[in-house]
Amino acid sequence: MSGNVWLPPGARPDSLPVIPRQRTTPGWAHPDPIDELAERLEDFTAAAVHPDEIAALLESDGLSDDRIRERYGVKDSFALAEELYARVDRRHPEPDGPVPDPWQVGLLGCLLRGVVFALPGLAYVLGAPLLAGPDDDLGLPAGTVPLLAGALTGWTWNQGLAHRAHSWLGLGDRFAARRCLLAGAPLGALLGALTALAVADTADPGALAFAAGQSCYLGAATVLLVMGRERALLAALSPMAAGAVTALVTEVPEPARIALLLGSLAAVSALALLDVAPALREPGEGSWTAGLTALLPFGAPDPLPHRARGPRLTGSVPYVLFGLGSGVLVLHAALGDVLAGGTHSAVAAPAAVALTLSMGPAEWLLYRFRSGSLAALRSTGTPRAFRRAAALILVRCLAGYLAALLALAPAATALWPGSPEPTGVRLAGLLLLGVVLWTGLLLQSFGAIHGAAAVCCTAALVQTLALVTRTGEPHGVAMTVYGACAVVQAALVCVLLGRASAHR
């Protein structure tokens, strides 16, 4: 009789009895109406990101505040929405089917663009007889100055032209894009040829003719690249490329060289003209005036109300400046030693070739970064987690680009006769310049082109002033300028990296 009355027979003294859980509500009570509503709207409520979404649904169902107070005992629809939001755990279901990703592109297409960018360089092999002669006053091979001046002018102009044409394409006005290219490409070719003429020696007609052809090619190639005709451009350049490779191993007669150059130029120009020809056949707008007005801020005059307002002309200026700054930096990488008059200096053309070829992998890795950051937006739940995930993707993509550039530099040097050896200092400068170019492209994709243009133009100006004033050793100046530029642009990227709006 002295044992524990709460322990059943056979139980150990150290065990505790199980006390039945008390009912919180009597059995005859009705369920909570808010719990019933939460169960009925569970799928929608779980996917809501704010109580206002639930309030909008309640109001669309016709629940007035008076009815809500009478039935659910809360003040209004917003108070009821907050109750439902608090009682249902968050669940954001994945959409049915594959998740759309606009940044998925194939590697082969990007590599093709890199090859198309670099392939015209073989034209200099075929055009060597036109550029024969003694070195100029700067120590550069004959004809180099007009060729570089025309190329830099064309590159700068066509950067802005391509952006303006892409802006029209983004508005869905393909005819306006064609008219813009129809007027802008010949103007750019004329501007490049006049620039080459302004800096050329009048006693060098061969270099002038080559520079004029180069300017025409840049304009026509811009048309084909903007309109997505890379394969056609590659086919048109193939005979010239085959002839240049042949000229590297055996002698090719000068008439055959000129015929191959003119043939490829004519093919590229004809393809570009055929691509923009529909703009000439559009009813009521088949004129050069319509093409010129497509270059202006308000586009072609059109009384129809459905035509979109044209992109601002000033919106293309930063792209022009970025093209100018990056072009000058690449020229310094290729010609800095010669222009500085260093001992045993030589034109580092393989550096420019490697950078040009690397634009294919750079473009693909840029798309990979944008695709990865989009996936990180879906998979992370806090801004800090998203920033961390985006930073890891950025490091992997940038490392991949630098690895590709590091592999291309020795390969281009080995294939280019008479080029300087890729020493550690040269490779370091080339990799830093690669960081500048890739982060500049990334800032463009973030919509921060103004920062990239300002940094690249400032770096180009500083390096040019150092060259003109003979300040410092060329490689040391290049390393300092490229390094500072890379740090500034990397800082700009880090500022934008955690902003979800920059990854739109």
Side-chain angles (χ1 to χ4, degrees), residues 132-162:
D135 294 347
D136 58 20
D137 297 337
L138 297 175
L140 296 172
T144 301
V145 172
L147 288 176
L148 292 180
L152 186 59
T153 302
W155 170 257
T156 303
W157 172 273
N158 289 319
Q159 284 285 305
L161 176 64

Side-chain angles (χ1 to χ4, degrees), residues 233-381:
L233 181 57
L234 178 63
L237 292 175
S238 295
M240 180 274 298
V245 173
T246 304
L248 289 174
V249 296
T250 185
E251 184 64 28
V252 176
E254 184 172 340
R257 292 170 178 259
I258 296 176
L260 287 170
L261 289 173
L262 293 178
S264 289
L265 177 60
V268 173
S269 301
L271 288 171
L273 184 58
L274 288 174
D275 214 280
V276 297
L280 295 174
R281 297 194 297 266
E282 187 179 9
E285 297 180 357
S287 65
W288 281 97
T289 303
L292 290 171
T293 52
L295 291 167
L296 299 178
F298 302 102
D302 190 352
L304 298 178
H306 69 273
R307 184 173 294 279
R309 179 183 176 88
R312 292 181 299 108
L313 187 62
T314 54
S316 299
V317 174
Y319 294 86
V320 173
L321 296 177
F322 179 77
L324 176 62
S326 59
V328 172
L329 291 177
V330 173
L331 287 183
H332 277 295
L335 304 175
D337 285 358
V338 178
L339 294 176
T343 307
H344 305 297
S345 59
V347 177
V353 173
L355 286 170
T356 306
L357 284 172
S358 71
M359 288 298 102
E363 182 178 345
W364 183 74
L365 288 167
L366 185 62
Y367 276 107
R368 293 298 301 167
F369 170 76
R370 297 306 302 267
S371 177
S373 62
L374 185 63
L377 276 174
R378 294 192 301 267
S379 61
T380 54

